[in-house]
């Protein structure tokens, strides 16, 4: 009897256990199929003081609801998280912040990766992230990520624009490695978030965890890779009610000291000070103001030998113009380097005068931005900046007297944006940019309508814009139009799309934006195939092709024709590799390289092949190799590019990365010079085309030593050398072809090199407050006589008279009004 009872008990226990497992799997599968509602996590109000120490011992944590049952995001999409890696997350809140505890189990705690790196760079480390959408509109996240070494990263993210790590918030975290895994405890003040003013809050919510050694990522809610959107597949956070958020008013005063020395040992010290201010107009809108700006410690622009017809575009390194500017980037009308960039005017010279000094940039007086979003999904942004009068110094070569002439007047730069989101996946936007310069200088105004529309199931997308530019020149106004329309299938293994652009000849947004080409229309198409889950051979497989044709608007001649095929693969060992075929299948007509209106030359057909390999960065030693070669349909014209980058991580604190780039363009054809046929500026000119070899070398070394997650030493050294050696000259004919040129041409060879070295120390001594010490050494050399000896080139660069040394110390201190008011 007892044996029969025991057998029945075992059978019942087995059935219940199996039913529970099946219920969990069925729940996950139902969630995959969209048959159940979104996951919901309920938070609770706490009156207890939550100490951010990585120890989850406050009594408030015991009674709050827990988020668990994570699901694999990649590479094994859709599988339940293994029981030995279960993850348990809880959220509490009060009137100041939300608090997150994350307990992450690991079967081998000793193998948890925990490299120390700078902020916003996870490195080789496990991480936990919380993704919050305060408006629950399915379109934008505020993401807060903490690594196992307590490194912090934060960003704003959208499905269309990706992650923007230039955005920084002030928040707290602490992690601890335990005998069962690791723990993260986080405090996110409401000032770091944006949400509507309702008494009862409903936020979009997701969590992500990565076990770095396996490159396995897990999320709280299932993310279906067949659908392009990530944010819309988040869960829900409920329970935050009737919060009384504190005043959002923050001050960031700073003081900087610069000691500059040039090659003549002339030393100059400069002391600067200023203030940044942030004010929360409400919980959704923020005012940012920068007074007396100091950008002395921003990264140096990496200039190159630019032989093309267009200006070189630089990255923005000034934090005010990178943080929280997602609204202002709508329509690609905002190139922030225009603010405080090169003067727009030139000096007018009299007989016997020359320019003795011209500033390279314009000084910024102040700037502000207001941005936020209403509860109905309307985003509003205003950015305004004012630059100062800028003068050139002109010297009379006979009398020796100098005078100053204004080349950039007091100018106001303004951007206004309205961005209406709807259906949790679509938006309409209006943006206007305006530049007004004092006096009889050029003014400009550009407006755009932008749309991004998706079907309810996120299977198809239609996007486009219509832009209108008006430039008020002292001599002649001009108006232009730019527009594009694109339709794409955005779900499933097979995806494709078609689109078209048109830009009229007089479209010009270059006062506050950047645009190189006008007077054309284009047609393009793309198609791709990808695996949605790993198979026996690959973790990731993506094959895509793109076709692009561009035609001159007035003549209909083809300006550009590209056909590209790309293959990208992720291996089971987390290495990445791929290859590509790129071609210009027909001859094209280049209207820009001759640098003369109405003239063009014929670019030949071309075909190229390339490939890359990137080994797993989890390994102490890893490397990247990238190369491509191409051949043109002209005798002896070819190109090769090679990049090699080994890296070595000694331990969790010290690492080195070296990168070498080499490129060679043989028998390249490009603009050389113009020669007046009758020595008369009003007569036609002969356009001389240079047949040249272009060689470039770039050596880059970066290394870091991290004392901890808040204190880092960094070294960056870059030597760039490129030269263009002319072999012969050609005369451009009216039909775009070339004939040999037998006349005399001055030496047009170019040898250009730069050296930049930055050695820095940064210490975040409290959240938001930083000490920065920087030593900078840089130089450049531009000559027409080429010396092909690499060592001599580098020696000449270091001994150049423009070699400069800068030593600077900057201290920034974050002041919260709510704390400061108690000081008095």
């Amino acid at each position: 009897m007892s044996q029969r009872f025991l057998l029945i008990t075992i059978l019942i226990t087995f059935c219940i256990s199996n039913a529970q497992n099946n219920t969990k799997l069925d729940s996950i599968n139902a969630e995959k199929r969209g048959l159940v509602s979104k996951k919901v996590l309920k938070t609770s109000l706490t009156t207890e003081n939550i100490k951010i120490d990585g120890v989850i011992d406050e009594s408030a944590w015991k009674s709050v609801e827990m988020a668990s049952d994570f699901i694999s995001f990649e590479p094994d999409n859709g599988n339940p998280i293994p029981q030995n890696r279960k993850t348990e997350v809880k959220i509490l809140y009060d009137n100041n912040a939300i608090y997150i505890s994350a307990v992450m189990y690991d079967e081998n705690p000793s193998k948890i990766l925990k490299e120390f790196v700078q902020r916003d760079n996870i490195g080789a480390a496990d991480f936990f992230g919380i993704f919050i959408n305060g408006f629950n509109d399915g379109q934008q996240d505020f993401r807060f990520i903490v690594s196992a070494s307590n490194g912090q990263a934060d960003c704003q993210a959208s499905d269309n624009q990706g992650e923007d790590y230039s955005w920084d918030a002030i928040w707290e975290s602490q992690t601890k490695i335990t005998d069962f895994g690791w723990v993260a405890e986080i405090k996110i003040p409401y000032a770091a978030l944006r949400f509507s003013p309702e008494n009862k809050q409903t936020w979009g919510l997701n969590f992500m965890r990565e076990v770095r050694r396996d490159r396995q990522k897990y999320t709280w809610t299932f993310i279906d890779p067949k659908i392009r959107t990530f944010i819309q597949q988040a869960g829900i956070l409920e329970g935050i009610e009737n919060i009384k958020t504190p005043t959002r008013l923050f001050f960031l005063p700073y003081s900087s000291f610069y000691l500059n020395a040039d090659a003549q040992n002339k030393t100059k010290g400069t002391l600067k000070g200023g203030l940044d201010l942030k004010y929360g107009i409400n919980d959704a809108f923020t005012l940012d103001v920068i007074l007396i700006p100091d950008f002395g410690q921003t990264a140096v622009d990496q200039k190159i030998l630019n032989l093309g017809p267009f200006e070189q575009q630089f990255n923005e390194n000034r934090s005010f113009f990178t943080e929280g500017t997602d609204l202002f980037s709508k329509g690609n009308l905002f190139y922030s380097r225009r603010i405080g960039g090169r003067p727009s005017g030139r000096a007018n010279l009299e007989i016997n005068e020359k320019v003795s000094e011209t500033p390279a940039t314009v000084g910024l007086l102040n700037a502000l931005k207001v941005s936020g979003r209403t509860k109905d999904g309307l985003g509003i942004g205003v950015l305004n900046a004012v630059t100062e009068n800028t003068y050139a110094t002109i010297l009379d070569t006979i009398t020796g007297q100098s005078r100053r002439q204004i080349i950039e007047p007091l100018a106001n730069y303004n951007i206004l944006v309205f961005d209406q989101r709807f259906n949790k996946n679509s938006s309409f936007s209006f943006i206007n940019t305006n530049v007004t310069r004092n006096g009889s200088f050029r003014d400009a105004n550009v407006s755009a309508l932008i749309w991004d529309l998706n079907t309810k199931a996120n299977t198809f997308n239609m996007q486009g814009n219509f832009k209108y530019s008006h430039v008020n020149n002292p001599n002649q106004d001009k108006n232009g139009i730019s527009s594009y329309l694109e339709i794409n299938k955005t779900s499933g293994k097979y995806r494709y799309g078609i689109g078209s652009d048109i830009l009229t000849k007089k479209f010009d947004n270059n006062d506050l934006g950047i645009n190189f080409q006008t007077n054309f229309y284009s047609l393009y198409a793309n198609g791709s195939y990808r695996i949605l889950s790993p198979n026996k051979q690959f973790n990731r497989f993506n094959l895509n092709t793109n076709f692009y044709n561009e035609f001159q608007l007035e003549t209909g001649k083809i300006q550009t024709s590209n056909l590209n095929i790309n293959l990208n693969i992720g291996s089971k060992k987390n290495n990445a590799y791929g290859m590509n075929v790129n071609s210009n299948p027909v001859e094209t007509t280049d209207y820009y390289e001759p640098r003369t209106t109405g003239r063009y030359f014929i670019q030949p057909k071309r075909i190229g092949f390339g490939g890359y390999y990137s080994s797993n960065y989890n390994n102490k030693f890893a490397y990247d190799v990238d190369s491509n070669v191409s051949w043109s349909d002209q005798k002896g014209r070819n190109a090769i590019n090679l990049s090699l980058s080994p890296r070595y991580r000694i331990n969790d604190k010290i690492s080195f990365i070296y990168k070498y780039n080499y490129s060679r363009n043989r028998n390249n054809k490009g603009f050389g010079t113009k020669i007046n046929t009758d020595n008369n500026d009003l007569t036609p000119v002969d356009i001389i085309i240079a047949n040249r070899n272009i060689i470039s070398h770039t050596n880059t070394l970066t290394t870091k030593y991290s004392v901890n997650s808040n204190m880092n030493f960094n070294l960056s050294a870059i030597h760039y050398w490129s030269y263009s050696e002319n072999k012969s000259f050609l005369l451009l004919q009216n039909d775009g072809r070339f004939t040999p040129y037998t006349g005399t041409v001055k030496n047009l060879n170019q040898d250009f090199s730069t050296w930049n070295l930055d050695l820095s120390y940064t210490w975040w001594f409290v959240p938001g407050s930083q000490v920065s010490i920087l030593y900078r050494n840089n130089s450049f050399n531009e000559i027409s006589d080429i010396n092909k000896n690499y060592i001599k080139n580098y020696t000449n660069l270091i001994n150049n008279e423009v070699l400069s040394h800068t030593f600077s110390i900057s201290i920034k201190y974050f002041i919260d009004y709510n704390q400061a008011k108690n000081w008095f």
Side-chain angles (χ1 to χ4, degrees):
M1 181 71 177
S2 60
Q3 291 177 342
R4 184 181 302 174
F5 179 79
L6 179 62
L7 178 61
I8 293 172
T9 301
I10 292 173
L11 289 173
I12 293 173
T13 302
F14 174 79
C15 291
I16 292 174
S17 174
N18 197 46
Q20 288 176 337
N21 290 333
N22 287 337
T23 299
K24 183 178 290 187
L25 290 174
D26 288 344
S27 176
I28 292 172
N29 290 330
E31 187 178 350
K32 287 183 184 182
R33 298 191 302 270
L35 300 179
V36 296
S37 59
K38 289 187 174 185
K39 282 185 175 179
V40 177
L41 178 65
K42 185 92 170 184
T43 182
S44 297
L45 175 68
T46 180
T47 56
E48 190 174 0
N49 179 37
I50 306 298
K51 185 179 180 181
I52 306 302
D53 55 5
V55 180
I56 315 300
D57 56 357
E58 291 87 358
S59 60
W61 292 116
K62 298 177 182 179
S63 58
V64 68
E65 191 173 302
M66 179 176 67
S68 58
D69 295 336
F70 278 53
I71 303 169
S72 178
F73 170 53
E74 61 181 22
D76 301 322
N77 183 262
N79 293 331
I81 192 170
Q83 186 65 19
N84 55 14
R85 291 184 178 179
K86 66 179 180 178
T87 303
E88 300 171 345
V89 186
K90 298 180 179 181
I91 295 180
L92 295 169
Y93 79 95
D94 59 21
N95 283 326
N96 297 302
I98 64 169
Y99 305 86
I100 302 96
S101 71
V103 179
M104 290 157 283
Y105 290 82
D106 193 297
E107 70 275 22
N108 288 304
S110 62
K111 294 185 178 181
I112 294 174
L113 296 180
K114 49 185 184 300
E115 182 185 8
F116 292 96
V117 290
Q118 288 193 99
R119 185 185 174 96
D120 288 335
N121 184 3
I122 299 299
D126 285 31
F127 75 76
F128 169 79
I130 176 172
F131 305 164
I132 297 173
N133 183 336
F135 294 94
N136 193 29
D137 62 3
Q139 302 207 36
Q140 186 179 49
D141 279 345
F142 288 80
R143 297 183 175 178
F144 304 87
I145 300 168
V146 61
S147 72
S149 59
N150 199 38
Q152 289 186 353
D154 44 25
C155 67
Q156 293 182 2
S158 66
D159 289 322
N160 288 335
Q161 296 176 308
E163 295 180 321
D164 176 14
Y165 281 95
S166 66
W167 176 80
D168 287 319
I170 310 300
W171 51 289
E172 298 178 49
S173 66
Q174 187 60 57
T175 61
K176 284 187 179 297
I177 305 295
T178 68
D179 58 357
F180 60 80
W182 66 290
V183 175
E185 195 169 21
I186 301 170
K187 175 184 178 180
I188 303 176
Y190 294 123
L193 303 168
R194 300 293 179 270
F195 48 89
S196 59
E198 277 86 0
N199 290 329
K200 186 176 182 179
Q201 296 289 318
T202 302
W203 294 355
L205 178 72
N206 212 341
F207 306 110
M208 177 179 285
R209 174 190 177 184
E210 180 177 25
V211 180
R212 178 72 184 191
R213 65 182 181 272
D214 298 332
R215 293 291 181 93
Q216 288 279 356
K217 293 181 179 177
Y218 304 96
T219 55
W220 176 50
T221 65
F222 171 67
I223 303 299
D224 190 342
K226 294 192 295 293
I227 303 173
R228 187 184 65 164
T229 177
F230 180 101
I231 296 174
Q232 285 182 56
Q233 301 187 64
I236 301 294
L237 176 67
E238 293 181 345
I240 299 178
E241 298 180 4
N242 301 314
I243 53 175
K244 298 177 181 178
T245 57
T247 301
R248 289 197 297 125
L249 176 59
F250 309 111
F251 304 94
L252 192 65
Y254 67 84
S255 179
S256 304
F257 175 74
Y258 296 89
L259 188 64
N260 298 282
D262 57 25
Q264 287 76 37
N265 293 318
K266 295 180 181 179
T267 304
K268 180 181 179 182
T270 305
L271 181 64
K272 295 183 178 181
L275 175 71
D276 293 355
L277 180 148
K278 291 179 180 288
Y279 174 63
I281 300 171
N282 54 34
D283 291 322
F285 284 83
T286 300
L287 166 68
D288 292 87
V289 180
I290 181 170
L291 302 172
I292 319 176
D294 175 23
F295 302 122
Q297 290 194 335
T298 56
V300 174
D301 291 329
Q302 186 57 45
K303 296 182 179 180
I304 62 172
L305 176 62
N306 184 9
L307 300 173
F310 309 116
E311 65 178 300
Q312 183 183 351
Q313 187 172 356
F314 296 108
N315 293 327
E316 179 59 83
N317 300 313
R318 301 168 296 178
S319 59
F320 178 84
F321 293 108
T322 58
E323 293 181 6
T325 56
D326 57 303
L327 271 177
F328 305 105
S329 63
K330 296 283 184 179
N332 296 319
L333 290 181
F334 181 38
Y335 176 45
S336 58
R337 292 300 298 267
R338 295 292 187 217
I339 302 174
R342 293 183 302 175
S344 62
R346 294 183 179 181
N348 296 318
L349 302 178
E350 304 292 339
I351 299 175
N352 301 322
E353 285 187 334
K354 69 175 185 179
V355 177
S356 61
E357 184 179 355
T358 301
T361 58
V362 176
L364 176 64
L365 292 175
N366 55 67
L368 65 84
K369 59 189 176 190
V370 177
S371 60
R373 194 170 293 276
T374 70
K375 66 178 181 179
D376 297 319
L378 177 62
I380 303 173
V382 177
L383 187 149
N384 188 269
V386 179
T387 57
E388 64 185 1
N389 289 320
T390 305
Y391 298 87
T393 303
I394 300 171
L395 176 68
D396 190 309
T397 57
I398 296 179
T399 66
Q401 293 182 338
S402 295
R403 66 182 179 91
R404 295 205 310 165
Q405 183 180 117
I406 191 167
I407 55 175
E408 175 72 22
L410 186 74
N412 184 83
Y413 296 81
N414 190 77
I415 305 176
L416 174 64
V417 185
F418 296 99
D419 175 52
Q420 179 64 60
R421 295 173 178 170
F422 56 95
N423 292 345
K424 293 196 173 185
N425 64 359
S426 301
S427 65
F428 274 110
S429 305
F430 170 81
I431 181 169
N432 175 266
T433 67
N434 182 277
V435 180
T436 303
R437 297 181 174 92
N438 190 34
S440 58
F441 281 76
R442 166 180 167 134
D443 301 327
N445 188 286
V446 183
S447 296
L449 289 173
I450 305 157
W451 55 89
D452 182 4
L453 309 176
N454 294 274
T455 57
K456 186 175 181 180
N458 289 293
T459 52
F460 285 90
N461 166 267
M462 182 177 73
Q463 57 183 275
N465 64 41
F466 178 83
K467 304 175 185 177
Y468 177 80
S469 70
H470 171 74
V471 177
N472 180 16
N473 270 320
N475 298 324
Q476 184 180 6
D477 294 353
K478 64 176 181 178
N479 303 304
I481 291 172
S482 169
S483 185
Y484 90 95
L485 181 65
E486 186 176 310
I487 299 174
N488 293 285
K489 180 179 182 291
T490 56
S491 64
K493 293 182 178 180
Y494 297 94
R495 305 184 187 187
Y496 48 83
I498 57 173
S500 178
D501 294 89
I502 183 169
L503 279 82
T504 62
K505 188 175 184 178
K506 293 185 178 181
F507 178 77
D508 188 348
N509 68 328
N510 284 299
D511 289 81
L512 195 45
I514 187 166
N515 183 61
F516 296 133
Q517 295 181 219
T518 60
N519 199 29
F520 72 88
Y521 68 93
S522 68
L523 300 171
Y524 51 91
N526 65 81
S528 67
Y529 168 80
R530 70 199 64 200
I531 61 174
L532 300 177
S533 298
N535 56 30
K536 293 182 179 180
Q537 292 79 33
F538 310 118
N539 279 343
R540 186 180 72 257
F541 183 95
N542 190 319
L543 177 67
N544 66 78
T545 181
N546 302 278
F547 183 61
Y548 179 85
N549 270 345
E550 184 179 288
F551 304 88
Q552 215 260 0
L553 194 58
E554 296 172 343
T555 65
K557 292 183 177 179
I558 188 166
Q559 289 187 164
T560 304
S561 181
N562 300 124
L563 176 61
N564 303 307
I565 301 173
N566 303 280
L567 175 64
N568 297 286
I569 293 172
S571 75
K572 303 298 288 186
K573 294 184 177 181
N574 293 311
N575 302 313
Y577 55 94
M579 60 189 71
N580 65 80
V581 180
N582 51 86
S583 67
N584 305 122
V586 298
E587 288 186 334
T588 56
T589 306
D590 191 334
Y591 283 89
Y592 301 95
E593 190 63 31
R595 324 289 168 93
T596 303
T597 303
R599 300 295 301 275
Y600 60 87
F601 75 71
I602 303 300
Q603 294 282 15
K605 292 182 283 186
R606 184 192 63 85
I607 188 167
F609 303 91
Y612 72 92
Y613 180 85
S614 179
S615 65
N616 188 349
Y617 286 2
N618 284 349
N619 302 326
K620 286 184 175 291
F621 176 76
Y623 62 93
D624 297 275
V625 180
D626 192 348
S627 66
N628 61 76
V629 294
S630 65
W631 298 268
S632 296
D633 190 20
Q634 284 179 347
K635 185 177 180 181
R637 184 171 180 177
N638 54 62
I640 182 172
N641 292 274
L642 173 66
S643 175
L644 175 64
S645 180
R647 57 178 61 210
Y648 184 68
R649 190 175 71 256
I650 296 176
N651 53 40
D652 287 336
K653 294 186 175 184
I654 306 173
S655 65
F656 297 87
I657 303 175
Y658 169 72
K659 187 173 184 179
Y660 173 68
N661 288 92
Y662 170 77
S663 69
R664 185 202 67 203
N665 286 272
R666 179 176 292 172
N667 289 312
N668 174 270
K669 308 293 190 297
F671 176 80
T673 188
K674 298 179 183 179
I675 298 178
N676 294 331
T677 54
D678 294 319
N679 293 322
N680 185 332
D681 289 342
L682 300 179
T683 61
V685 297
D686 284 338
I687 299 175
I688 308 302
I689 301 299
N691 181 41
R692 61 207 179 189
N693 291 338
I694 306 171
I695 311 294
S696 296
H697 304 266
T698 306
N699 282 280
T700 304
L701 174 66
T702 57
T703 182
K704 64 94 178 175
Y705 171 69
S706 299
V707 180
N708 52 47
S709 58
N710 296 317
M711 188 181 295
N712 299 275
F713 293 87
N714 292 277
L715 172 68
S716 173
I718 303 175
H719 177 220
Y720 168 82
W721 175 35
S722 182
Y723 62 86
S724 172
E725 184 177 28
N726 297 301
K727 300 172 61 178
S728 62
F729 294 98
L730 308 167
L731 181 64
L732 180 64
Q733 304 296 304
N734 289 330
D735 63 355
R737 307 289 178 177
F738 312 126
T739 58
Y741 182 73
T742 57
T744 302
V745 179
K746 66 177 182 178
N747 184 4
L748 296 178
N749 293 338
Q750 295 187 61
D751 186 305
F752 181 79
S753 55
T754 62
W755 163 257
N756 290 298
L757 181 146
D758 281 7
L759 176 62
S760 65
Y761 164 81
T762 56
W763 175 32
W764 294 89
F765 54 94
V766 293
S769 301
Q770 180 187 35
V771 174
S772 300
I773 302 175
L774 172 68
Y775 167 70
R776 173 169 290 160
N777 179 317
N778 57 29
S779 177
F780 74 93
N781 197 17
E782 188 172 10
I783 57 178
S784 57
D785 295 325
I786 299 173
N787 186 336
K788 298 182 181 180
N789 186 301
Y790 188 91
I791 300 300
K792 288 185 177 179
N793 175 276
Y794 177 75
T795 302
N796 291 336
L797 183 62
I798 295 300
N799 295 326
N800 196 325
E801 62 180 11
V802 299
L803 177 71
S804 66
H805 305 265
T806 302
F807 176 80
S808 62
I809 301 176
S810 179
I811 301 175
K812 300 180 180 180
Y813 191 75
F814 176 78
I815 300 174
D816 185 341
Y817 161 79
N818 299 287
Q819 296 175 347
K821 67 182 181 181
N822 296 323
W823 299 347
F824 304 98

